[in-house]
Amino acid sequence: MNYEELVETRDVRKSNKVKMPFGYFHKRQIDGKYSNFVEFLDELSDNILFAECLKKDCDIAAQMADKHQLHFTPNTEEGSNGIYAIAVEPGHYLTIGQLLNEVPSVVAQKDFMETTIKDLLQLTINLNEKGVQHVCFAPSNVFVRKNDNSVRLLLHGSPFHRLGAYDVLYEGVEAYVAPEVLRGETPTDRSDVYGLAKFIEYLNDSSGMPFYLKSIIRKATSEDPEARYATVADFRKALSQRKAAFKSTVTSLSAIAIALILVGLFFTLTPDTEAVEFVKPVEEPISEELLDEGFDPSTELGAAADSATIAKAIKDYQMKDSDKIDEKKIREFEAKGEAIFRKQFSKEADRILSGVYNSKSMSGGQKSFEEASGRAMQELVEKQIELGEHSSLPSEKSQRIASEIIEQITERKKAEMGDKPNYGYQKGTKEE
């Protein structure tokens, strides 16, 4: 083996090629320094149109001042009009797929997921403002810097749209590309909403998607582009608001849960208890003022109108000429939405709390009872947020109503059980 062959063998051994859309990403360590390359698929490298698209994407990347955008330089082969590879800016980079394969516990590190998603959303918003869509957020098409796991993007999808080689570009990563793009339609910001939501699903795959995010991700990944969020900024706002609402509700209802557990233990440990007569609280009525002049919420929107119907009615009405909006009409819709929220949440709360206040749960020990109560409060929080949003209620109002309902149902459950509950403690007999 001569010297040249030895060097080539060493380079191949140190090369770590990773399949990504467009080709293979790899790095070589020579004299202690890393050089990053993407070698394009043969179907693309000889295509003159692909070379034109690549040069356009190179110009776009060069104009991006965001540190999360990787820059590159096309490598041409002498005597050819095609581009067989690109040299990527210096640094030690690897794909998210590689990172999670090598260090799966990274998703549990403090702020990793939150920071990754936040930076990726902002970079995509910056790209969209320039009329560029990344399109594919597959784990093999999103990079991180090795030393700090800071997210990076390289090649974008929309500059290559006119190439039309979707079966080549996105082979094996179709699940991360919006359906309309795979059908050959022009990518839009809604296409990036889809891809980002799929990426967030991937990050949460090992730990499980938080319940409060499921409806947002479901909307963002709708097959119909018009049913998704219109922009990545709208998507980010929805994620942020839902997270804030969840934290606020958890704090509020957790305090109620602790108070109810303590009250339950107090009554349980009291030697002699008297039967509590339960008087069903009067639900907050819909103001008669809102029912006059011919408006009847039970018939105006249909007897079977649900919270989603009410929310849509409010939105449609507000989209009309603002000079003609009748505030009283809005209050009428809101009153109907509140009534439906009360009914739906009461039903769910009764179901959830029945799993806590029953003879089996309350005779299994204090720890078992507290764990069941904790799980119930978590589910109640999620239902409050979900139903509150569907009813277009402000989070503060839905929290207040939910708290009232939880307290009412809890007292009723305890009263219905009479002397049966012992909250994990066995009461002694009089002889004892």
Side-chain angles (χ1 to χ4, degrees):
M1 180 181 292
N2 59 31
Y3 178 75
E4 288 78 14
E5 291 173 334
L6 180 63
V7 171
E8 184 178 354
T9 301
R10 182 200 63 178
D11 287 346
V12 170
R13 185 171 60 250
K14 289 183 179 271
S15 176
N16 185 18
K17 291 189 177 183
V18 178
K19 175 71 168 64
M20 60 173 291
F22 305 95
Y24 293 88
F25 173 80
H26 65 100
K27 51 186 176 290
R28 292 180 180 178
Q29 185 178 7
I30 303 176
D31 297 329
K33 295 182 180 180
Y34 284 99
S35 297
N36 304 296
F37 298 93
V38 173
E39 294 181 2
F40 296 119
L41 301 171
D42 292 340
E43 299 94 321
L44 302 175
S45 60
D46 296 330
N47 191 314
I48 296 177
L49 181 56
F50 173 76
E52 294 176 1
C53 295
L54 183 65
K55 289 176 181 177
K56 179 180 179 181
D57 196 32
C58 182
D59 292 338
I60 292 170
Q63 296 170 17
M64 297 292 295
D66 194 315
K67 69 177 184 180
H68 301 289
Q69 171 64 56
L70 289 173
H71 301 88
F72 60 90
T73 303
N75 287 354
T76 57
E77 194 168 15
E78 187 175 352
S80 171
N81 293 322
I83 299 177
Y84 72 94
I86 57 173
V88 184
E89 67 177 77
H92 192 170
Y93 307 107
L94 66 164
T95 67
I96 281 281
Q98 284 179 289
L99 176 65
L100 267 60
N101 184 58
E102 295 175 6
V103 191
S105 61
V106 70
V107 295
Q109 291 181 5
K110 183 180 178 182
D111 299 333
F112 169 76
M113 291 181 63
E114 182 176 350
T115 301
T116 298
I117 294 171
K118 182 192 71 172
D119 292 343
L120 201 54
L121 287 167
Q122 185 58 60
L123 176 56
T124 307
I125 290 172
N126 295 342
L127 287 168
N128 290 171
E129 289 176 349
K130 294 180 176 295
V132 181
Q133 290 78 35
H134 188 66
V135 179
C136 178
F137 293 87
S140 61
N141 203 35
V142 178
F143 295 82
V144 293
R145 191 168 62 176
K146 180 69 173 179
N147 62 335
D148 60 2
N149 294 332
S150 178
V151 72
R152 297 289 191 274
L153 290 183
L154 182 54
L155 298 168
H156 311 299
S158 59
F160 300 88
H161 170 68
R162 60 195 183 107
L163 189 64
Y166 308 107
D167 57 334
V168 176
L169 292 176
Y170 304 121
E171 181 182 6
V173 292
E174 294 88 349
Y176 296 90
V177 181
E180 67 273 13
V181 176
L182 295 176
R183 292 194 298 265
E185 299 175 21
T186 302
T188 67
D189 293 357
R190 294 176 189 267
S191 305
D192 274 353
V193 168
Y194 182 97
L196 283 164
K198 285 294 186 180
F199 179 77
I200 293 174
E201 276 188 337
Y202 168 78
L203 284 185
N204 284 278
D205 184 56
S206 59
S207 57
M209 178 72 67
F211 181 89
Y212 65 90
L213 290 182
K214 287 183 178 179
S215 61
I216 293 178
I217 298 300
R218 186 164 53 247
K219 176 176 179 178
T221 55
S222 172
E223 291 289 313
D224 179 10
E226 294 301 315
R228 301 176 206 147
Y229 297 97
T231 66
V232 174
D234 291 341
F235 180 43
R236 180 176 66 178
K237 182 179 179 181
L239 290 169
S240 176
Q241 290 180 338
R242 179 63 67 86
K243 183 176 182 179
F246 180 76
K247 286 185 176 179
S248 175
T249 303
V250 166
T251 302
S252 175
L253 295 189
S254 293
I256 295 175
I258 294 171
L260 292 176
I261 291 174
L262 293 176
V263 169
L265 290 172
F266 171 78
F267 281 109
T268 297
L269 296 175
T270 302
D272 296 316
T273 59
E274 297 181 1
V276 179
E277 181 181 355
F278 173 73
V279 179
K280 184 178 181 181
V282 178
E283 292 187 357
E284 185 177 327
I286 299 174
S287 171
E288 292 184 3
E289 176 188 355
L290 299 180
L291 300 179
D292 60 7
E293 298 185 6
F295 178 80
D296 181 357
S298 64
T299 58
E300 185 82 3
L301 296 174
D306 57 12
S307 56
T309 304
I310 300 300
K312 185 177 186 303
I314 294 175
K315 181 178 180 181
D316 291 346
Y317 188 75
Q318 289 176 328
M319 289 179 67
K320 296 179 181 179
D321 187 346
S322 58
D323 294 335
K324 298 179 181 179
I325 291 180
D326 186 346
E327 292 297 329
K328 183 177 179 180
K329 193 73 172 178
I330 292 295
R331 293 199 303 275
E332 291 170 352
F333 287 133
E334 291 175 346
K336 175 67 173 176
E338 180 180 334
I340 290 178
F341 173 80
R342 285 180 175 275
K343 180 178 179 181
Q344 293 180 335
F345 187 79
S346 294
K347 180 180 178 181
E348 291 296 330
D350 186 273
R351 174 185 63 79
I352 294 168
L353 291 172
S354 292
V356 177
Y357 292 95
N358 58 69
S359 57
K360 181 179 179 180
S361 173
M362 300 171 75
S363 62
Q366 180 181 358
K367 182 179 180 181
S368 176
F369 175 73
E370 291 177 352
E371 289 176 350
S373 298
R375 290 192 297 270
M377 282 303 114
Q378 175 78 5
E379 190 173 357
L380 286 167
V381 168
E382 294 166 349
K383 284 297 178 183
Q384 178 259 309
I385 294 174
E386 178 186 357
L387 296 176
E389 288 189 350
H390 287 173
S391 303
S392 291
L393 290 181
S395 60
E396 295 82 2
K397 189 168 188 177
S398 65
Q399 288 176 29
R400 176 180 61 79
I401 296 173
S403 299
E404 294 172 358
I405 292 173
I406 291 171
E407 187 172 359
Q408 293 168 5
I409 294 178
T410 299
E411 292 302 321
R412 172 163 59 82
K413 293 290 183 185
K414 288 158 55 179
E416 287 175 350
M417 296 192 69
D419 287 333
K420 294 179 182 179
N422 56 44
Y423 299 84
Y425 293 87
Q426 298 295 333
K427 292 186 177 180
T429 62
K430 290 184 178 179
E431 291 76 4
E432 294 175 330

